[in-house]
Amino acid sequence: MRWLSLVASLGVAAVCGLALSACGGSTEQEAGVAKRVFRKEDQTRARRIVLRLADFPSGWRAEHDGGKSSDKLDCLSPDFSDLTTTGGATSPWFFKGEAPFATSFSSFFETSDQARAAYDRLATEDLANCLAESIAKSEGTKVGDVSWGKLALPRLGDRSSAYQVAVRFEIGELTPSAYVDWVFIQRQRALAVMVFGDILTPFDEDLREDLVAKVAARMGLNSVSPATGTTVRKPPLGSRAHPYPFGRSVKLPNGWVVRIVKVTPNAWPEIRAANRFNDPPPDGWQFFMITLRATYRGPEEPARFDESEFKLVGRSNVAYATWHEPSCGVNPSPIAARDEVFHGGTITGNICWGVRKQDLNSLLMYHDEFLGEKTFFRLRR
């Protein structure tokens, strides 16, 4: 698949072809590339950091030449020639079928300041924007929409960040999408970069989180962060950085126990069937609907379920509420806000929002009780 290999190879070009000596090549310094003065100890540590086959679930395989490519990113060329790497390693490519795929790189620099400088020049929004532009301009492949945005990531090491590019290809009557994620972690003199990709849907969030945690642990992030002097901890479950998994029953502070039963990203057919006077979403928007099961376990009864407390947020970082325009109109089988529910009673129904298409692949749902804490949920398995 030319379109799949394009996304994979450019994903690596974005981090490997720029400057990281971990990616191999000549020992002679090239223009803009960091100098290489490898030390045995740092080289060994770099090799220990990168992903390995044992990190993955069963069914994955490793390929040592899975990402070779001559593709270049002409739109981004930071200068690393003032930096010196003292160790570097690249993992094999890991695949499950043709996709999903993953790979990783690690480099040690002469000083912590140099590692921070490399992070500042590499882990930028310009990188994601450049890759999106390169894919859109590629020859031999018809590309539709290309978008990118930041991914939620807990604080790891001195600094960390993550980005995702989403690409929709046009192949005859088919319009498959592909996704590439990058995760960057810098700790003292070490810099680790992970690349994850998949087709049709983004790379599995739980697996990505697990793989990132394993690499972070091998960077020594189970101990104390040198930047803050505090223990690095995973964000609390239910936060935006660590939302509840899809389908889990969660008790909210108001006494309701809720579980997402179904997600309908394009709900217009159901909305149109519910009432012929419902208006379609405007260009660039989509009606997004979930089916929610709610059981009341609070002390005060009867209670009313308030769907307006449930909102969505995506990579644009602008919340969507049920009362915002564009409105879904008459909702098919709405969760019964007008019903009084006593302790142990259960209701099931739909909640619908109008959302921007650019946010579809990054949406989280959250419960936003007035003057209360926010509880976040994943909308994908």
Side-chain angles (χ1 to χ4, degrees):
M1 296 183 185
R2 162 63 186 166
W3 58 280
L4 179 58
S5 62
L6 172 70
V7 172
S9 61
L10 283 178
V12 172
V15 293
C16 182
L18 290 176
L20 295 183
S21 56
C23 303
S26 171
T27 57
E28 298 181 3
Q29 186 178 5
E30 301 175 18
V33 177
K35 296 182 286 292
R36 298 175 63 182
V37 184
F38 280 6
R39 301 169 187 161
K40 184 177 180 180
E41 179 183 0
D42 286 349
Q43 186 69 3
T44 300
R45 294 171 68 190
R47 289 170 178 160
R48 289 174 179 169
I49 288 174
V50 295
L51 291 169
R52 57 194 70 167
L53 186 58
D55 294 333
F56 291 80
S58 61
W60 286 73
R61 70 183 188 280
E63 293 186 8
H64 290 274
D65 59 351
K68 287 185 177 178
S69 171
S70 59
D71 289 299
K72 302 294 183 182
L73 294 181
D74 298 327
C75 51
L76 188 65
S77 55
D79 187 359
F80 293 81
S81 59
D82 59 324
L83 308 180
T84 299
T85 54
T86 57
T90 178
S91 72
W93 280 71
F94 303 96
F95 292 90
K96 187 174 183 181
E98 288 190 348
F101 57 84
T103 191
S104 61
F105 312 91
S106 67
S107 285
F108 276 81
F109 291 82
E110 199 166 48
T111 66
S112 295
D113 286 342
Q114 289 195 12
R116 284 192 289 271
Y119 178 96
D120 287 339
R121 299 172 199 179
L122 192 59
T124 67
E125 295 181 357
D126 290 340
L127 170 66
N129 186 53
C130 177
L131 178 62
E133 289 181 6
S134 298
I135 293 174
K137 296 176 181 177
S138 60
E139 296 181 0
T141 304
K142 192 172 182 181
V143 178
D145 297 332
V146 180
S147 61
W148 66 271
K150 286 188 175 182
L151 293 173
L153 185 73
R155 166 71 180 271
L156 296 168
D158 296 349
R159 281 179 299 179
S160 56
S161 58
Y163 299 89
Q164 180 182 91
V165 168
V167 187
R168 182 175 59 80
F169 292 89
E170 297 178 2
I171 307 172
E173 295 182 356
L174 302 177
T175 56
S177 295
Y179 304 84
V180 178
D181 306 342
W182 299 270
V183 177
F184 302 88
I185 304 174
Q186 182 260 318
R187 179 183 184 265
Q188 296 181 342
R189 295 191 300 114
L191 175 63
V193 182
M194 287 152 277
V195 182
F196 305 97
D198 206 347
I199 57 175
L200 303 183
T201 60
F203 193 92
D204 181 83
E205 292 183 20
D206 290 331
L207 178 56
R208 185 186 66 214
E209 183 177 299
D210 180 63
L211 295 172
V212 169
K214 289 173 179 175
V215 169
R218 293 196 284 266
M219 295 178 76
L221 299 183
N222 288 335
S223 56
V224 173
S225 166
T228 63
T230 58
T231 302
V232 177
R233 300 183 185 276
K234 192 172 185 177
L237 185 61
S239 64
R240 186 176 181 184
H242 190 197
Y244 282 105
F246 180 91
R248 177 177 295 188
S249 294
V250 177
K251 186 173 184 179
L252 301 174
N254 60 8
W256 286 96
V257 178
V258 299
R259 180 170 67 88
I260 299 172
V261 177
K262 180 183 177 183
V263 172
T264 307
N266 181 14
W268 170 235
E270 288 87 343
I271 296 294
R272 179 171 51 188
N275 189 308
R276 64 190 181 93
F277 295 107
N278 281 337
D279 293 325
D283 290 344
W285 290 75
Q286 199 157 299
F287 290 149
F288 189 99
M289 188 167 65
I290 69 160
T291 303
L292 197 72
R293 177 184 174 91
T295 301
Y296 186 62
R297 300 291 184 188
E300 299 179 4
E301 54 181 1
R304 292 179 181 273
F305 187 88
D306 187 357
E307 67 174 28
S308 68
E309 294 180 350
F310 291 84
K311 300 176 182 178
L312 301 181
V313 66
R315 61 167 57 99
S316 68
N317 291 321
V318 178
Y320 299 101
T322 55
W323 65 87
H324 289 172
E325 293 294 338
S327 169
C328 296
V330 177
N331 184 346
S333 302
I335 194 161
R338 63 185 180 277
D339 288 351
E340 292 185 339
V341 181
F342 289 78
H343 185 90
T346 298
I347 55 177
T348 302
N350 298 321
I351 307 177
C352 186
W353 303 262
V355 302
R356 294 179 180 87
K357 288 184 178 180
Q358 67 189 44
D359 278 335
L360 280 173
N361 296 314
S362 59
L363 288 173
L364 297 175
M365 184 185 77
Y366 67 98
H367 176 249
D368 187 18
E369 187 177 10
F370 180 65
L371 298 180
E373 61 185 34
K374 294 176 174 59
T375 306
F376 288 82
F377 301 79
R378 282 183 178 156
L379 295 173
R380 295 177 180 271
R381 295 186 185 276

